Amino acid sequence: MAGPDSLMPIPQPPEHLYGLLGNIPDIDSKRMTISLARLVAEYGPIFKLNVLSKYIIVVCSQELVNEMCDEKRFGKKLSILKEIRLALHDGMITANTTDHNWKLAHKLLMRGFGPMAIRAMFPKVLDITAQMLLKWDHLRTDEALDVTDSFTRLSLDIIALTMCNYRLNSFYSKEQHPFVVALMSVMWEASRRSKRSRIENALRIFSWKAFQKHAMTMHDIADSIINDRKRNPTEEEDLLNLMLTARDSVTGEGLPEENIRYNVETMLAAGHETTSGLLSFTCWLLLSNPDKLQNATTEVDSILGDENLTVEHLPRFKYLDAVLKESLRLHPPAAQIGMGPVGHDGVLAGKYPYSANDTMIVNLVDLHKDPKVWGADAAAFRPERMLDGGFERLPPNSWKPFGNGVRTCIGRDFAIQEAIMTMALILQRFEIRKADPAAQLIVEQTVTQKPVNFFMKVKRRPGKGPFVGVGGDTSGKVKPLRQKPIPKPLTGPFFLANSLSLQQRKAEKSFAVFYGSNTGTCKMFAEVLTRHAASLGLIPSETRILDSATDNLPRDKPMIIITASYEGKPTDDSKAFVSWLETLQGNDGSLAGVRFSVLGIGNPDWTNSYHRVPIAIDSMLAALGAERFAPIGLANVAEDVQGGYEDWAEGVWKAFPNMETLNSPAFDLQVHSQDRLSIGQETVDVVVRGNKEISSNKLGFAKMHTELELPANMTYTTGDYLQVLPTNNPATIRRVLAHFSLPEDSQVSLRNSIKSYLPNKSDHLWTILAHAVELNALISRTQLLTLAAYSTAPSESAHLTALSNTYISTILPTRTTILDALESHPSCALPLSTYIDMLPPLKPRQYSISSSPLASPETSSTPLTSSGSLTSQPNTNTASLTYDIVTSPSLANPSQTYLGVASTFLASRTPGQKIRCSIRTNKTNFHLPADPRTPIILIAAGSGIAPMRGFLQERAALAGVPARPTTETLPLADTLPLVHTPPPTPVATSLGPCLFYFGCRHPSSDYVYADELAHFEKQNLSIVNMRPTFSHAPEESGGFRYVQERLWAEREEARSLLEGGAKVFICGRKATVGVSVEECLVRIWAEGVAEDGTVIGEKRARAWVEGMKGVGLVSDVFG
C-alpha cells in the first residue's frame, strides 16, 4: 500500500471565474473527444475536472486503464447516462449493475446474442442491407448521399427486424424514423442536463417538458412493437420473445412489463446508434486511405466475386475485420466509459488517490492512441496492425470500444457481423468516393459520436449486374452442424492404464453430459453431441447444467463438459461447480476414478479471457486426480466453430472401444445373394393417368404435363402443392454400382441401423439406392476430408483436402456430389457401407398443382395415354403437374449428365404406374380472393404457369365456361373433375378482371397450354386477358421480351387495377421474375397520385409494396 509520501495529486486544469464555473468551459459538449484530447496533451494520461462541484477523473493510458478494469475495485458509473436513465429507466445500458432488473435481464437475454443466434440473424440483416444497396443503386452518379443518415436507417431497421421481427421501413420515408428523432432529442438534452446544476435543470421547465414528450414517443413506439407481438405471437426465438417468455431457471421470474418496454427502447437505441457510427467512420477512413480501400476491395473480390453473400463467407474476411477493429480504435462510437470505485477510497497506480464518490471516465480515443501500445504511428489508420496475431498480442485492456467486464456490450458480436456484411456488400457492388475530396472530418458527440456532413458518391462497378450481392439465402435457416467422421482406431491399449478392465470398458457405452451456457451455444452443442452419440449406439445421459455436477461427479461412467468463459468468469449455470473445484485444490486424488473430457467454446476477440474457464476446469480436474479420457477441445466461434467441435468429438469417439473403424457407419452391411425384398415409405400411392411432353428442349428445359389420379379422400385447394417422393434416376444408380464394381442384382443386409430411412433387413442394393437415399446430395466439407483419408494417392488426398478449404468457391458452384468426387478421385477406397451412411434420406419434392378441383366434369371425358391419346377410363379425383425436365451437363464432371431426381422420375412414369405423394397446403395466401369479383394480376414465366393455370380453370368453372374442344393436341385430362363425386354444374358467377403476364421463349416452342388459354380468353374475357412475352421472338409480343417490360409499358392499366384493390400473384424463378417484377411494381405505384394530391414517389411506393406482401402481393418463387 502506498504511503503518504508517495502519493501525488491528480493534475487539474485551472478553474474558471474564481472557481464558480469549475472546469465546465474546458469541455465543448458537442466536441468532448476533441476537448479531452487537448487536455491529455497538456496534463498527461490522468487529470481531474471540477464539473458542478463534482470531481471527474479522466484516465487514458493502458497502464492506468488496465488497473481500473479490475471489477473488484471499479465498476460502471452512469455519468451522463444518469440523465438518459430519466427516459430509459432500468434498461440494459442505463441500469445500475446492482439493479435487480439488470441482473435478471442480463441473465435471460444472453441467449439471444449467442453465436448461433447471431448466425441465424444473417438473412434478416441481408434483407435490410439489400434495401439500402438497391436504393443507392438508383442514385445518379453525381448525386451525393448522406452517409451517416443512410447507415442510421440501415442499422435501425436491422435491429428492429432481427430483435423484434418488426419492420420500421426507414428507407421508405424522407425523414428519419420518429424513434431516431426522439432519441436524438433525448440525448442532446441529456448531454446539456449533465452540465447544468440541479437548480438550472429545475428552472428549465420547457426543456424538461420537451424531453418528456420525446421520451413518451419512444415509449409509444416500443409499446406498439410489443403489443403487435402479443397480438401476433410467433415461435421464433428472437430477443422480444425472450423478453416476453424467458424465465429464470432458479426463481422462475420473468422480466416485468415496464422493463420489457425499456429494454426494447434500449436495444433500438444502442443497437443502431453505435453500429451506424462504426460504419460511417469506417467509410471515412477507407476513403481517406485509398490503398486500404483497395486492399479491402481486393479481399472482397477474392472471397465473393459475384456470388451471393452467405454466412459461411464471413469468417474469411480477415482484412475487413481488421479494418473494423482499426476503425473502432480510432473512432469508437461510444468514446468514453463511465466508471467509479466500488465502495472505498483508494490509490491508482500506487500514487493517485481517489475517493469512493469520484466519477472516473476512461477516454477511449486517447487510450487507443497510447504510444506505448500502438507505437509512433498510433494516429494512423493501419488495419495491418490487427492482422497476423497483432490483435491477440495487444496488452490487456488496451482496446475497449465495447466497454468493460460484465457491462460489456451484449450485442458486440452481432454488431461486428452486421458491419462485415454491410461493408462486404458495398465494396462488392460499388465504387465509392467522397462527394467533396477536400472535405474534413467533423465529429459531433452526444452520448455517442458520429461524423456529420459526410457525403459520398457511389457508382456500380463495371461488370456488376443490378442484383449482384442482394440475392443471398434469406431462408432464415441455420445449416445443421456437420458430424466429423469417426477416426482410425487407436494403436495402443488406451484404456489399460485405467482402473476398469479392458473387458469392462468394451461393455461401456454410457456417459454423462454437462454444459455451462449463458447464450445457449454450449447447450446446443451438448444436445448435438448426445444425438450423434445415440446414432453411434452409445448411451448418453440427458444433458444437464454444470452446477448439477457440484459434489456429484459420476465415477461409473465418463463425463463430458461443454462450457465457455464469460468475461473470463464461469457462466451463470457453472459458477457453483467452479467454486467447488477451487475449494478442493490441494486435495490431490480426491477425484480419482472420475473420467472426463472438456470442450471450450469461445471468441478470440476476448483476448484476455479466451477459453480461460474451460482450460481452468480441465486443469483443476486433472490436478485433483481425475483422468482425461479425451483431450480438451477449444472451438472458435469467430471462425469454424463446427470444425472445432468435430475435432474434439473425434477424440471422444476414439476413446470408446466399439468405435473401431474410420467413419464407422451406424449399421452393419454385407453384400450377398438373396431374393428381392422391397422397402417402403409411409406415403400415399397415386396413380399416373397420363404423361406428355408439352414443349421440347430446343429452347431451355423440356416441359412435361403429368395427370394423376388421387385417392377419394385426398383433396386440395387451387394453389396448393403436391409433394412427390421420387426415386433416383437409374443412370445415377448404375454409376454408383459401377464405381463399387457391383452387379445390378446385388443384395445387402443392413443390421443395427438406427436411421429410420434405412431398412434393418436384407434387400436389393438397387432398391435402397433408388428409394432410400439422396444420391444427388451435395458433398460436405467433412465428407471431403473423409474421402481424403481413404485416398491412397497422396496427390488426390491433397486435392480433396484443398477442396474442403475452398468449398464455397469450388464445390458449391458445381454442385459436386459424393459420387462425383469418388469418380474423379479413383484412388479413394471408400467402403460401400460408409458411402451409404454418408447419404441423407431421399426427400419429397414440391410442385405447384396446375389444376383446380372446381374444373367442370364436361371439360374432358377421358384421361391421357403416355403418348397423349385418350383412353376410355372414367373420370376420377385428379390433379395435374407442369414442370421442367431438368437435364444438363454436370458442372462437376462434364462427361456426365446432371439428372434432376424428381423431374426425370415423373417424366418417365407411364399410365397405371404409382408414385408416392402428399398434398401440402400453400400457407402463403397464394389462393384466389374469396370474392371472385376482385381484380387479379397474374405474372409468371416458364413452369411458373402451373398454379396460374389452376386459377384460370377455377375462374372458368365459376363462370360456367366449358372447356376447349377435345380435338386439341394439348392434354385434356387436366380439366377432369377433381373430387370423387363430380360437383354440380356451377351457376355462372360474375368475375373481376384478370391480366395474365406470361413469359416464355417462343410461341411455337414453350407457350404451353396456348390453346386452352386462348379458349378461356375467347369464351369470356373476364376469365383472363392474356399478355404473353417471348424472349426469343419479341416481334410476336409487341416488341416485349420479358413480363416486366410489358407490365411497365401497360402500367396505366395495371395501376388502375391496383388502385381498385387488385391482388397480384407472381410465380417463377426468383432471380428472373420475383425481384424484377417487384421493382416494376414499385415504379408503377411511384407514378401514382396520393390522396393529398402529391406524386407518391419511390419511397412511399416501396413502403406500399412491402405492406402488400403476403396480402395483396403474393409470390411463389423458386431457384
Side-chain angles (χ1 to χ4, degrees):
M1 183 174 180
D5 294 338
S6 62
L7 298 180
M8 294 178 58
I10 298 175
Q12 179 188 359
E15 297 184 10
H16 297 265
L17 197 60
Y18 307 103
L20 294 177
L21 297 180
N23 294 113
I24 291 177
D26 293 312
I27 303 296
D28 180 348
S29 60
K30 291 186 177 182
R31 307 283 188 273
M32 181 181 288
T33 298
I34 296 174
S35 299
L36 292 178
R38 178 178 54 79
L39 294 172
V40 168
E42 186 171 353
Y43 295 99
I46 181 171
F47 55 88
K48 65 181 180 180
L49 302 172
N50 178 1
V51 179
L52 301 175
S53 301
K54 293 182 179 179
Y55 284 99
I56 297 175
I57 300 173
V58 180
V59 179
C60 60
S61 73
Q62 183 273 333
E63 180 183 2
L64 296 173
V65 171
N66 187 46
E67 185 175 340
M68 285 178 57
C69 288
D70 180 354
E71 291 184 273
K72 294 178 181 178
R73 294 176 58 195
F74 303 93
K76 177 170 179 173
K77 196 166 184 178
L78 294 182
S79 185
I80 187 176
L81 291 177
K82 184 161 53 176
E83 303 298 334
I84 300 288
R85 183 182 170 101
L86 296 172
L88 298 181
H89 298 272
D90 57 356
M92 288 284 286
I93 289 179
T94 49
N96 291 304
T97 310
T98 55
D99 289 350
H100 174 73
N101 282 345
W102 180 85
K103 294 177 181 177
L104 181 61
H106 188 261
K107 182 176 183 180
L108 296 181
L109 302 185
M110 281 296 295
R111 189 164 82 243
F113 290 98
M116 303 313 289
I118 292 172
R119 180 184 172 97
M121 296 174 190
F122 176 91
K124 292 182 178 179
V125 177
L126 190 62
D127 178 328
I128 302 299
T129 309
Q131 292 182 29
M132 184 187 75
L133 297 178
L134 292 174
K135 179 181 175 67
W136 286 12
D137 204 51
H138 293 152
L139 297 173
R140 300 185 306 274
T141 55
D142 62 341
E143 187 175 356
L145 63 91
D146 186 328
V147 177
T148 304
D149 178 88
S150 278
F151 287 142
T152 297
R153 296 171 188 268
L154 173 79
S155 52
L156 179 71
D157 281 16
I158 285 175
I159 202 73
L161 187 61
T162 55
M163 303 303 171
C164 305
N165 201 29
Y166 194 90
R167 291 187 180 272
L168 294 178
N169 292 327
S170 298
F171 285 110
Y172 307 133
S173 173
K174 181 178 181 180
E175 305 299 330
Q176 283 281 10
H177 192 275
F179 185 89
V180 175
V181 176
L183 175 64
M184 292 307 298
S185 299
V186 164
M187 290 199 300
W188 275 119
E189 180 59 18
S191 179
R192 289 188 286 260
R193 286 179 61 86
S194 68
K195 297 172 180 63
R196 300 182 194 137
S197 67
R198 290 184 181 180
I199 296 176
E200 184 180 359
N201 278 329
L203 292 174
R204 289 184 176 265
I205 298 173
F206 295 109
S207 297
W208 173 240
K209 285 185 176 180
F211 181 92
Q212 289 179 307
K213 177 184 176 182
H214 293 303
M216 187 55 65
T217 298
M218 294 165 62
H219 297 338
D220 290 343
I221 293 170
D223 289 344
S224 68
I225 292 173
I226 296 166
N227 292 331
D228 179 75
R229 175 58 58 85
K230 290 179 177 179
R231 289 191 301 268
N232 303 286
T234 175
E235 296 297 320
E236 187 172 353
E237 194 173 285
D238 59 14
L239 205 67
L240 182 54
N241 256 12
L242 283 176
M243 292 184 197
L244 292 169
T245 63
R247 296 294 181 267
D248 186 280
S249 59
V250 178
T251 66
E253 184 181 7
L255 293 179
E257 287 282 334
E258 201 169 49
N259 184 256
I260 294 174
R261 168 208 273 180
Y262 299 142
N263 275 312
V264 168
E265 294 177 74
T266 297
M267 295 300 170
L268 289 175
H272 94 272
E273 184 69 9
T274 52
T275 307
S276 60
L278 165 60
L279 290 168
S280 301
F281 282 123
T282 300
C283 282
W284 175 271
L285 290 166
L286 287 174
L287 291 173
S288 302
N289 295 271
D291 57 327
K292 312 305 181 189
L293 174 60
Q294 183 58 51
N295 291 343
T297 304
T298 299
E299 180 185 66
V300 170
D301 288 345
S302 67
I303 294 172
L304 273 187
D306 288 339
E307 293 179 12
N308 292 329
L309 181 68
T310 69
V311 73
E312 284 78 14
H313 285 119
L314 300 183
R316 300 170 59 192
F317 291 111
K318 304 296 185 185
Y319 191 80
L320 205 50
D321 180 70
V323 165
L324 293 170
K325 285 186 168 75
E326 183 75 342
S327 175
L328 287 166
R329 180 182 76 84
L330 292 173
H331 298 290
Q336 287 84 34
I337 303 174
M339 301 183 71
V342 179
H344 304 286
D345 297 350
V347 177
L348 191 62
K351 56 185 175 181
Y352 298 118
Y354 58 82
S355 69
N357 295 322
D358 282 340
T359 296
M360 297 175 162
I361 289 179
V362 174
N363 186 33
L364 295 180
V365 174
D366 290 292
L367 167 68
H368 290 171
K369 294 177 183 175
D370 185 343
K372 292 182 180 179
V373 174
W374 305 101
D377 66 344
F381 176 65
R382 189 166 62 83
E384 291 76 9
R385 73 173 88 240
M386 301 292 185
L387 296 172
D388 301 323
F391 181 75
E392 291 74 16
R393 290 191 297 269
L394 289 174
N397 298 305
S398 54
W399 186 83
K400 303 289 289 183
F402 292 102
N404 182 61
V406 72
R407 297 304 297 264
T408 298
C409 174
I410 194 174
R412 163 184 176 161
D413 294 336
F414 172 69
I416 292 297
Q417 174 174 298
E418 177 186 341
I420 288 177
M421 290 177 65
T422 302
M423 293 307 304
L425 289 167
I426 289 172
L427 297 179
Q428 179 193 32
R429 186 181 183 87
F430 293 114
E431 294 175 351
I432 60 176
R433 58 191 174 91
K434 291 180 184 177
D436 177 6
Q440 298 298 308
L441 179 63
I442 302 173
V443 178
E444 201 166 74
Q445 186 170 359
T446 53
V447 179
T448 60
Q449 60 174 1
K450 287 183 180 180
V452 293
N453 299 324
F454 171 26
F455 293 90
M456 184 169 76
K457 293 182 179 180
V458 299
K459 177 184 177 182
R460 199 191 315 155
R461 295 172 61 189
K464 299 291 184 179
F467 300 109
V468 65
V470 298
D473 178 12
T474 57
S475 65
K477 297 180 179 179
V478 178
K479 295 181 180 179
L481 298 179
R482 308 186 302 272
Q483 300 294 359
K484 188 85 169 181
I486 308 302
K488 294 179 180 178
L490 293 173
T491 56
F494 183 76
F495 287 99
L496 288 181
N498 297 314
S499 56
L500 295 179
S501 69
L502 181 60
Q503 290 73 23
Q504 288 173 304
R505 298 280 184 161
K506 285 187 174 181
E508 182 182 75
K509 290 187 175 184
S510 63
F511 61 92
V513 183
F514 300 95
Y515 65 86
S517 183
N518 274 359
T519 67
T521 302
C522 291
K523 180 181 180 182
M524 182 207 69
F525 275 105
E527 292 168 348
V528 168
L529 181 79
T530 58
R531 289 196 297 270
H532 192 193
S535 74
L536 298 173
L538 301 176
I539 310 171
S541 68
E542 182 180 351
T543 58
R544 292 185 291 166
I545 63 172
L546 193 49
D547 278 348
S548 67
T550 303
D551 201 16
N552 188 32
L553 297 182
R555 283 179 165 82
D556 60 336
K557 65 185 74 172
M559 65 179 289
I560 297 289
I561 295 173
I562 302 178
T563 191
S565 299
Y566 179 66
E567 270 293 309
K569 297 177 181 178
T571 58
D572 292 340
D573 50 13
S574 64
K575 289 178 179 177
F577 178 78
V578 174
S579 295
W580 172 68
L581 284 183
E582 289 172 344
T583 64
L584 295 180
Q585 293 309 297
N587 297 328
D588 296 349
S590 59
L591 297 184
V594 172
R595 287 162 293 137
F596 72 95
S597 182
V598 174
L599 172 65
I601 295 177
N603 190 327
D605 282 354
W606 304 87
T607 53
N608 300 310
S609 58
Y610 186 42
H611 293 313
R612 180 185 294 171
V613 172
I615 291 172
I617 291 174
D618 178 81
S619 300
M620 286 191 287
L621 287 171
L624 293 168
E627 176 192 356
R628 298 182 186 91
F629 76 86
I632 187 172
L634 300 173
N636 178 355
V637 300
E639 295 188 352
D640 188 7
V641 65
Q642 299 176 24
Y645 161 79
E646 292 168 354
D647 292 340
W648 166 79
E650 176 179 324
V652 171
W653 308 138
K654 184 187 295 185
F656 286 89
N658 57 330
M659 304 291 113
E660 291 181 350
T661 60
L662 180 67
N663 200 42
S664 174
F667 54 82
D668 302 321
L669 181 146
Q670 293 181 338
V671 180
H672 57 94
S673 178
Q674 182 176 313
D675 291 339
R676 173 171 180 153
L677 297 172
S678 63
I679 62 174
Q681 299 276 351
E682 293 183 7
T683 50
V684 177
D685 284 336
V686 171
V687 178
V688 175
R689 301 186 65 202
N691 229 349
K692 182 177 178 65
E693 183 179 289
I694 54 177
S695 78
S696 71
N697 62 357
K698 190 174 182 180
L699 292 173
F701 293 132
K703 289 179 174 58
M704 289 292 293
H705 173 97
T706 299
E707 199 76 27
L708 303 169
E709 179 181 324
L710 308 181
N713 61 351
M714 192 176 186
T715 61
Y716 68 96
T717 301
T718 311
D720 283 348
Y721 303 109
L722 193 71
Q723 288 190 316
V724 178
L725 184 64
T727 61
N728 285 303
N729 194 282
T732 308
I733 298 172
R734 291 190 182 98
R735 285 174 59 197
V736 174
L737 296 174
H739 176 79
F740 288 99
S741 302
L742 294 172
E744 291 188 9
D745 62 351
S746 296
Q747 308 269 330
V748 295
S749 292
L750 281 81
R751 296 287 183 262
N752 304 320
S753 171
I754 66 167
K755 295 183 175 181
S756 59
Y757 57 94
L758 294 178
N760 268 305
K761 61 178 182 179
S762 299
D763 208 337
H764 273 274
L765 177 58
W766 182 285
T767 303
I768 295 172
L769 295 176
H771 299 286
V773 290
E774 193 78 63
L775 299 182
N776 275 7
L778 192 69
I779 192 170
S780 72
R781 284 188 178 94
T782 299
Q783 290 168 344
L784 285 166
L785 295 176
T786 299
L787 266 60
Y790 277 108
S791 296
T792 57
S795 60
E796 291 188 2
S797 179
H799 183 244
L800 287 162
T801 302
L803 289 176
S804 74
N805 294 326
T806 58
Y807 187 85
I808 292 174
S809 60
T810 57
I811 299 299
L812 286 181
T814 58
R815 308 299 299 170
T816 302
T817 67
I818 302 173
L819 181 58
D820 291 330
L822 287 171
E823 290 175 332
S824 58
H825 298 83
S827 79
C828 181
L830 187 77
L832 174 64
S833 58
T834 304
Y835 172 70
I836 293 177
D837 193 46
M838 284 179 166
L839 298 171
L842 187 62
K843 295 180 180 179
R845 268 58 168 183
Q846 181 170 287
Y847 291 92
S848 292
I849 299 174
S850 60
S851 55
S852 167
L854 297 187
S856 168
E858 282 82 24
T859 56
S860 174
S861 59
T862 51
L864 292 166
T865 67
S866 59
S867 63
S869 60
L870 304 175
T871 74
S872 59
Q873 297 178 16
N875 281 320
T876 54
N877 181 25
T878 66
S880 65
L881 301 178
T882 307
Y883 53 93
D884 292 330
I885 308 173
V886 180
T887 60
S888 62
S890 170
L891 297 175
N893 187 351
S895 66
Q896 299 290 347
T897 300
Y898 178 84
L899 302 170
V901 175
S903 61
T904 57
F905 164 73
L906 283 171
S908 66
R909 300 303 91 187
T910 58
Q913 287 188 313
K914 294 182 178 181
I915 62 176
R916 299 162 184 164
C917 297
S918 63
I919 297 291
R920 181 176 179 271
T921 302
N922 192 324
K923 297 181 179 179
T924 63
N925 197 25
F926 202 88
H927 297 291
L928 288 173
D931 184 352
R933 293 170 298 181
T934 302
I936 61 173
I937 302 175
L938 310 180
I939 306 170
S943 58
I945 194 174
M948 309 308 190
R949 178 175 180 263
F951 288 160
L952 298 182
Q953 282 192 354
E954 183 156 319
R955 288 172 64 85
L958 291 172
V961 172
R964 66 198 186 290
T966 57
T967 56
E968 290 188 50
T969 57
L970 286 176
L972 306 181
D974 51 304
T975 49
L976 284 171
L978 297 174
V979 292
H980 189 60
T981 302
T985 302
V987 178
T989 301
S990 176
L991 300 176
C994 168
L995 303 182
F996 185 8
Y997 290 88
F998 175 57
C1000 58
R1001 291 178 172 83
H1002 198 281
S1004 63
S1005 171
D1006 58 348
Y1007 190 10
V1008 295
Y1009 305 120
D1011 290 345
E1012 181 181 32
L1013 298 172
H1015 173 72
F1016 287 150
E1017 189 174 27
K1018 179 180 179 182
Q1019 293 294 315
N1020 187 335
L1021 195 61
S1022 292
I1023 296 174
V1024 65
N1025 189 329
M1026 291 300 301
R1027 308 294 171 91
T1029 62
F1030 307 116
S1031 61
H1032 286 57
E1035 66 279 2
E1036 300 289 335
S1037 54
F1040 304 114
R1041 293 180 181 275
Y1042 304 109
V1043 290
Q1044 63 269 26
E1045 294 176 358
R1046 184 162 188 171
L1047 179 63
W1048 173 248
E1050 299 170 353
R1051 58 189 178 277
E1052 295 299 333
E1053 184 179 10
R1055 188 187 304 113
S1056 176
L1057 292 183
L1058 291 171
E1059 290 171 346
K1063 185 173 181 178
V1064 182
F1065 297 86
I1066 304 173
C1067 189
R1069 294 195 176 277
K1070 180 178 181 181
T1072 55
V1073 178
V1075 175
S1076 56
V1077 169
E1078 284 190 13
E1079 283 296 306
C1080 185
L1081 290 172
V1082 169
R1083 294 167 60 202
I1084 291 173
W1085 196 250
E1087 286 191 346
V1089 178
E1091 293 181 358
D1092 60 4
T1094 61
V1095 175
I1096 292 173
E1098 181 186 344
K1099 293 178 181 177
R1100 284 193 285 181
R1102 287 192 182 280
W1104 175 80
V1105 168
E1106 281 296 317
M1108 286 276 286
K1109 286 183 179 179
V1111 183
L1113 170 61
V1114 285
S1115 300
D1116 188 357
V1117 294
F1118 47 86

